[in-house]
């Protein structure tokens, strides 16, 4: 399965052209004409790369790029009609990975897309989300910061990893076995209560009511889940 690409571009001819070439190359494409639409798509879909036009009707691409970077780490390639070097520098400082000047050759765009996706998959963490936020819980992998209703939570590295792992699998049920093997990197044994003990400690730090936890929920006989 190829990564899904989001084309953020308000000029229909350019968006059509990009979508045509990307789809022919096998990439599923989503389109947005404004920053607001783009953010809505990003929330909903699992996007692997963004092509971002600088001149958008509701905001500029630099501001949008900065917003994207607060939460996601997939590659961003900026598109612009302007050729000034300052645009390129600004684009890179707000977190873009590459830069293409209009008018462009669609085959070149495709080549750059492939390069970025390859770079991303070879680091394998590169395309994942940088931070997660829901219902008052904020967790950022980049800064290793976790907040609950704006107050920092002092988590151990293990607790942080457990919470991050569950957040990344938002809505899915994760078994103790999977959690243990992912976080500790060791084979899980049946009699192992380590995960349960750490979850209990984590819930305590989050001020959860033991019988009615709001964040990390127990699915009896199956495992743990966040976000359902
Ligand atoms: Ca435009």
């Amino acid at each position: 399965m190829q990564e899904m690409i989001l084309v953020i571009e308000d000029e229909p001819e350019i968006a059509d052209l990009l979508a045509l070439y990307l789809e022919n190359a096998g990439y599923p494409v989503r389109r947005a004409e404004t920053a607001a639409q783009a953010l809505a798509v990003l929330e909903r879909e699992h996007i692997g790369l963004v092509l971002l036009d600088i001149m958008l009707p509701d905001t500029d691409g630099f501001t949008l790029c900065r917003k994207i970077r607060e939460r996601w780490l997939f590659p961003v390639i900026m598109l612009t009609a302007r050729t000034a070097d300052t645009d390129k520098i600004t684009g890179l400082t707000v977190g873009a990975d590459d830069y293409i000047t209009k008018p462009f050759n669609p085959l070149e765009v495709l080549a750059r897309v492939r390069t970025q996706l390859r770079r991303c998959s070879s680091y394998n963490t590169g395309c994942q989300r940088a931070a997660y936020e829901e219902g008052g819980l904020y967790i950022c992998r980049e800064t290793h910061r976790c907040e609950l209703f704006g107050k920092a939570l002092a988590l151990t590295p293990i607790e942080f990893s457990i919470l991050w792992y569950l957040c990344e699998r938002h809505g899915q049920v994760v078994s103790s076995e999977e959690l243990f093997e992912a976080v500790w990197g060791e084979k899980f044994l049946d009699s192992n209560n380590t995960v349960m003990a750490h979850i209990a400690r984590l819930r305590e730090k989050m001020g959860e009511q033991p019988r009615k936890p709001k964040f990390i929920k127990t699915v009896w006989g199956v495992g743990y889940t966040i976000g359902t």
Side-chain angles (χ1 to χ4, degrees), residues 21-120:
Y21 274 79
L22 292 165
E23 280 168 354
N24 280 343
Y27 296 104
V29 174
R30 293 291 178 272
R31 288 162 65 155
E33 290 177 13
T34 63
Q37 276 178 16
L39 290 168
V41 175
L42 289 168
E43 282 301 327
R44 213 171 50 227
E45 306 269 11
H46 189 90
I47 298 294
L49 181 142
V50 160
L51 286 169
L52 172 58
D53 182 37
I54 288 180
M55 306 286 274
L56 294 171
D58 55 344
T59 182
D60 67 280
F62 298 129
T63 307
L64 178 56
C65 188
R66 208 176 280 123
K67 271 194 186 157
I68 288 174
R69 275 292 170 261
E70 286 169 9
R71 296 185 65 176
W72 292 280
L73 292 172
F74 47 67
V76 174
I77 302 177
M78 302 202 84
L79 305 169
T80 183
R82 293 182 282 181
T83 53
D85 280 346
T86 50
D87 278 0
K88 179 169 183 173
I89 293 160
T90 310
L92 297 175
T93 55
V94 295
D97 299 276
D98 201 359
Y99 197 89
I100 295 170
T101 306
K102 293 177 190 173
F104 50 74
N105 175 346
L107 290 172
E108 194 199 336
V109 177
L110 208 51
R112 304 262 194 114
V113 164
R114 289 200 175 106
T115 303
Q116 287 302 325
L117 288 175
R118 206 161 41 232
R119 178 188 64 79
C120 206

Side-chain angles (χ1 to χ4, degrees), residues 171-224:
Q172 298 172 29
V173 182
V174 178
S175 69
S176 297
E177 181 178 355
E178 179 184 345
L179 205 49
F180 184 82
E181 292 183 355
V183 173
W184 280 265
E186 290 167 28
K187 192 96 193 88
F188 181 80
L189 301 170
D190 247 2
S191 58
N192 200 324
N193 286 326
T194 313
V195 171
M196 205 199 287
H198 278 84
I199 295 270
R201 183 91 185 101
L202 201 45
R203 282 178 176 154
E204 200 182 306
K205 286 190 179 178
M206 294 169 83
E208 294 265 62
Q209 291 181 4
R211 281 164 198 281
K212 281 179 80 181
K214 281 199 337 242
F215 295 98
I216 307 173
K217 292 176 183 146
T218 302
V219 181
W220 292 108
V222 190
Y224 301 96

Side-chain angles (χ1 to χ4, degrees), residues 5-8 11-12 15-17 19 29-33 37 41:
I5 296 176
L6 174 60
V7 175
I8 309 171
E11 287 159 76
D16 285 348
L17 184 69
V29 174
R30 293 291 178 272
R31 288 162 65 155
E33 290 177 13
Q37 276 178 16
V41 175

